Amino acid sequence: MTKTSTCIYHFLVLSWYTFLNYYISQEGKDEVKPKIFANGARWKYMTLLNLLKRRTAGFGIYQAGSFRKLLQTIFYGVTCLDDVLKRIKGRKDIKFLTAFRDLLFTTLAFPVSTFVFLAFWILFLYNRDLIYPKVLDTVIPVWLNHAMHTLIFPITLAEVVLGPHSYPSKKTGLTLLTAASITYISRILWLYFETGTWVYPVFAKLSPVGLAAFFSLSHIFIASIYLLGEKLNHWKWGDMRQPRNKRK
């Protein structure tokens, strides 16, 4: 792809996810749907948090105060801004913006999108009631389900192919990913203690030890995806890690 084509592609992806988030935001206006999306459930799902990274701050930030969701929300906005400014000012003048874009992609966008895709479909194919009960089919159209759980993976994988991303040191990258995971798990637990309802049915079937094991294995899984992303980036573009004298 040429630079212009890549810029147009990023804008189209941002537009697509902006439309999806607008569509999702309208779900609560239905008289039946609020019962299913009570207590902010619409925004509890990791899939929807993942979708929000495609929205810019100018379109509004849901769940203000959630730092992790804010990072995800601005990813494609930052990417589009990076594309435009590179054409206007040149690469050297926007090093910080490019570094910020790469940090978002390597530590959040790629690991989270890939995790959502794999975890959802593995559990869905094993027993859909654990992750996506059939009742949701009456609320969420099939096309929207695939937009949330299927298309996210090829779109994110395309980012690996379209351009290189500089990875931080493994220590820095995994530390940021761990912090995001702890924040998300804390949110899940807080919502349970506040509402008495788990955001995913699978959690209700696990004992406290089982939950601890599930969260631990999930973190190991998403950390492995982070390392896979680094390998894929290296395979496609060579060593794009930050220079050793700048790494911590």
Side-chain angles (χ1 to χ4, degrees):
M1 269 191 175
T2 64
K3 291 182 179 180
T4 300
S5 298
T6 300
C7 186
I8 293 173
Y9 168 78
H10 285 148
F11 177 76
L12 290 175
V13 172
L14 177 61
S15 299
W16 164 244
Y17 280 107
T18 298
F19 161 72
L20 286 181
N21 282 283
Y22 173 77
Y23 182 90
I24 292 168
S25 71
Q26 301 305 302
E27 295 293 287
K29 295 183 178 180
D30 189 290
E31 293 182 358
V32 176
K33 292 172 184 177
K35 296 178 181 179
I36 297 175
F37 292 128
N39 300 312
R42 178 169 55 239
W43 309 117
K44 293 183 227 171
Y45 286 82
M46 192 172 189
T47 299
L48 300 183
L49 296 181
N50 176 61
L51 285 174
L52 287 170
K53 71 175 178 288
R54 273 85 180 189
R55 295 186 62 189
T56 60
F59 288 100
I61 301 298
Y62 289 92
Q63 296 284 329
S66 174
F67 183 66
R68 177 167 175 268
K69 188 190 307 183
L70 177 61
L71 288 175
Q72 293 182 339
T73 302
I74 65 176
F75 172 69
Y76 266 95
V78 170
T79 300
C80 288
L81 183 60
D82 183 71
D83 290 338
V84 172
L85 291 182
K86 278 180 179 176
R87 297 182 64 82
I88 297 175
K89 294 187 175 182
R91 186 178 299 273
K92 292 183 179 180
D93 294 330
I94 57 170
K95 286 184 177 180
F96 172 77
L97 185 64
T98 301
F100 185 48
R101 179 208 66 181
D102 288 345
L103 189 66
L104 288 175
F105 180 76
T106 58
T107 61
L108 283 176
F110 181 82
V112 170
S113 296
T114 305
F115 177 84
V116 166
F117 170 77
L118 293 175
F120 176 85
W121 287 111
I122 288 173
L123 288 173
F124 186 95
L125 293 174
Y126 174 72
N127 181 356
R128 68 170 296 173
D129 288 333
L130 294 177
I131 191 72
Y132 195 82
K134 199 166 185 178
V135 66
L136 291 180
D137 289 340
T138 64
V139 180
I140 302 177
V142 173
W143 69 266
L144 183 57
N145 179 30
H146 284 291
M148 294 188 296
H149 300 114
T150 306
L151 290 179
I152 54 172
F153 179 64
I155 288 175
T156 301
L157 194 60
E159 283 298 310
V160 177
V161 177
L162 288 177
H165 295 84
S166 296
Y167 270 74
S169 66
K170 285 186 174 62
K171 180 180 179 180
T172 299
L174 291 175
T175 297
L176 291 174
L177 184 60
T178 298
S181 296
I182 292 174
T183 300
Y184 181 71
I185 292 171
S186 298
R187 175 66 174 167
I188 289 176
L189 296 174
W190 180 82
L191 286 168
Y192 173 72
F193 288 123
E194 284 289 308
T195 67
T197 303
W198 289 107
V199 297
Y200 294 112
V202 63
F203 296 149
K205 298 182 180 296
L206 300 175
S207 65
V209 174
L211 279 173
F214 184 92
F215 289 141
S216 297
L217 290 174
S218 294
H219 178 65
I220 292 173
F221 187 26
I222 200 170
S224 299
I225 292 172
Y226 168 86
L227 297 175
L228 173 63
E230 186 176 30
K231 293 293 183 182
L232 289 174
N233 191 74
H234 183 273
W235 169 75
K236 176 65 179 177
W237 302 103
D239 190 357
M240 292 298 300
R241 291 175 297 179
Q242 295 175 2
R244 187 174 296 275
N245 62 345
K246 294 183 180 181
R247 297 171 63 194
K248 295 181 180 180

